[in-house]
Amino acid sequence: MKKLKILNLKKAHSLATERSIKLSEDTLDQKERANGFFQEVGDMALFIKQIVKETFSRNFEFKEFLRQCYEIGNKSLPLIIITGTIMGLVLTIQSRPAMAKFGAVTMLPGMVAVSLIREIGPIITALICAGKIGSGMGAELGSMKVTEQIDAMEVSATNPIRYLVVTRVLAATLMLPILVLFADAFGFIGSWIGVNIKGDVSLVLYIFQAFGSITFLDFFPAVIKTFLFGAVIGIVGCYKGFTAGRGTESVGKAANAAVVLSSLLIIIVDMIAVQITDMLS
Amino acid sequence: MINSQETNTDTISDEKITSEVLIDIKNLKKSFGRLEVLKDISLKLHNGENLVVLGKSGSGKSVLIKCIVRLLNPDGGTINLLGKEVNSIKGKELSKIREKIGFLFQSGALYDSMTVKQNLEFPLVRIKKDLKEAEIDHKIKEVLENVGLADVLEKMPSQLSGGMRKRISLARSIILDPVIMLYDEPTTGLDPVTSDEISELINSVQEKYKTSSIIITHDIACVRLTADRIIMLHEGHVYAEGTLEEFEASDDPLIMSFFK
């Protein structure tokens, strides 16, 4: 009987030890994850600090900045035009039955215009650009890192942050609002097509009705937040590319992480911007 | 005199030494996490010499030259480069000293999105800003001729063979008239004939530009063609040091595994 008690005690002891070890391992694992997260946040803050510092340096790479504007702006335009047109068309077709129920079909252009300008235009364009531009930056800089091109730049006494990162971030920040304006404009055209599927409204009348519902307070905050979306895409894309590992696998990972993180941050920035706009208005 | 672990590593064949020391590394240490790559490295590069750093893959050869140009930050020890302590300088001072160093990367590291001409122009227009377009074109033509390639100006790096890429990369490294050349495995991935051509090119660059070089390699043919002095790294330490003849005559098993 005494032996059995001792045996049970030993079993309980070993079970407790096992659980305690597992708990310690889990705690350590969580600590490492938390450390990794805070380290990444810190690294990104330092990266942004370097970008700001190099943006105001004397030797700004203007030629490369213009090239990046062309790459980001001009080459994304067809995709944005198609997306914007379809966005307007679909929004109109989907909203029409609900508006018709309340006899408010004439308000359709105004509703679509406010939706496009305030929210749908900026957020959809930003998410598309996060996929197209952000992944491109992550992959390009990641592959430059893997093939030692960034090291080569540094060794030849050229600042890679100034040449590669500042130009891309500024180009993305400047080009995104322009792309959003294109998306909005073609959204109006898509919406006009949608209205004309079951009605007959001239483009001039449609635009008159649409712009009649828009105020400066609809337009201004939307434009401001698109600058932030552009900056987010540029910074995250470049950061992920710049901090890619050494193998070719890391290029894919950098591109993927750039898209995921910038999309997430765009939505968070949008949420904050909407709250601020709401409070101010 | 060959110096292996048991003997004094400071003795070098006298005829190879000139008075000026361009790089003086003392007790260099570098780790990656728990992995100690360089444990205690001390070496000197003298003016006008070709110093070959030999060692197995993973022995820290590339880490060593990346520490010299501060692409990696050492954990301990000192690196005196052209009279400056590399560890304690940054910003413009670091850039100034990097202008005096040519670095040939293992992969060539040519900028993919630029033509050969743009690759060569890249350091020149940023460092020597007062040069006129004609002078830049002349300099580009000159370095291309020196590496034996003249008609590839408008080609993209992807259109070049491995050997041609190495030559263009070498041309880009010498375009700023460096004092020191660092070669990271210059013949890796090339066929024996092209490897020999690159090794000859290293000698010809040294002759024309009066450079002093550190050549990281495990290619014995390259060592035979280029080395004035050899240092062998093993397990994070300087394992042996001497001339080519001394290494070839050595009966040390590790050295013999490279040379015989």
Side-chain angles (χ1 to χ4, degrees), chain B residues 2 11 22 40 43 67-68 72 79 85 90 94-96 101 115 120 131 158 160 185 195-196 206 232 256:
Chain B
I2 271 269
T11 327
L22 302 183
D40 185 13
L43 63 87
C67 284
I68 294 174
L72 292 171
I79 300 170
E85 278 302 323
K90 56 182 179 178
L94 184 60
S95 294
K96 279 276 165 216
I101 296 168
T115 61
L120 296 174
L131 284 185
S158 57
L160 305 173
E185 308 211 4
S195 292
D196 286 354
Q206 190 203 16
M232 180 181 264
M256 281 171 73

Side-chain angles (χ1 to χ4, degrees), chain A residues 73-180:
Chain A
N74 191 44
K75 291 195 174 171
S76 306
L77 203 55
L79 184 64
I80 295 303
I81 287 173
I82 293 167
T83 316
T85 311
I86 293 171
M87 213 161 56
L89 181 69
V90 170
L91 189 63
T92 307
I93 293 170
Q94 296 275 37
S95 308
R96 192 186 178 98
M99 301 290 275
K101 260 187 196 173
F102 298 102
V105 178
T106 50
M107 292 173 77
L108 198 57
M111 190 222 69
V112 171
V114 171
S115 310
L116 275 177
I117 285 186
R118 273 197 164 199
E119 193 56 39
I120 297 173
I123 198 88
I124 299 283
T125 309
L127 289 175
I128 288 170
C129 288
K132 189 182 182 297
I133 302 165
S135 65
M137 285 179 188
E140 191 185 2
L141 297 193
S143 112
M144 286 183 82
K145 172 98 177 178
V146 169
T147 53
E148 298 179 310
Q149 290 174 51
I150 292 179
D151 285 348
M153 216 169 264
E154 211 168 331
V155 167
S156 63
T158 303
N159 189 327
I161 297 273
R162 189 185 305 153
Y163 182 79
L164 297 171
V165 179
V166 170
T167 52
R168 280 168 174 77
V169 172
L170 287 185
T173 309
L174 205 71
M175 285 297 111
L176 204 80
I178 296 171
L179 289 173
V180 170

Side-chain angles (χ1 to χ4, degrees), chain B residues 18 37 62-63 66 74 77 92-93 95 102 118 129 133 143 162 167 172 179 186 188 205 209 232 247:
Chain B
T18 53
V37 179
S62 299
V63 172
K66 284 183 180 174
K92 278 184 186 168
E93 211 177 349
S95 294
Q118 288 166 335
K129 288 175 187 163
E133 210 174 318
V143 289
R167 283 168 187 264
R172 191 180 62 185
V179 178
T188 297
V205 163
Y209 291 85
M232 180 181 264
F247 266 76

Side-chain angles (χ1 to χ4, degrees), chain A residues 59 61 147-149 163, chain B residues 66 107 110-112 126 129:
Chain A
N59 305 315
E61 297 279 354
T147 53
E148 298 179 310
Q149 290 174 51
Y163 182 79
Chain B
K66 284 183 180 174
S107 58
L110 291 175
Y111 309 129
D112 288 336
R126 279 165 185 81
K129 288 175 187 163

Side-chain angles (χ1 to χ4, degrees), chain B residues 46-60:
Chain B
H46 299 97
N47 197 359
E49 77 170 339
N50 274 351
L51 172 66
V52 169
V53 179
L54 192 64
K56 288 197 289 188
S57 298
S59 59

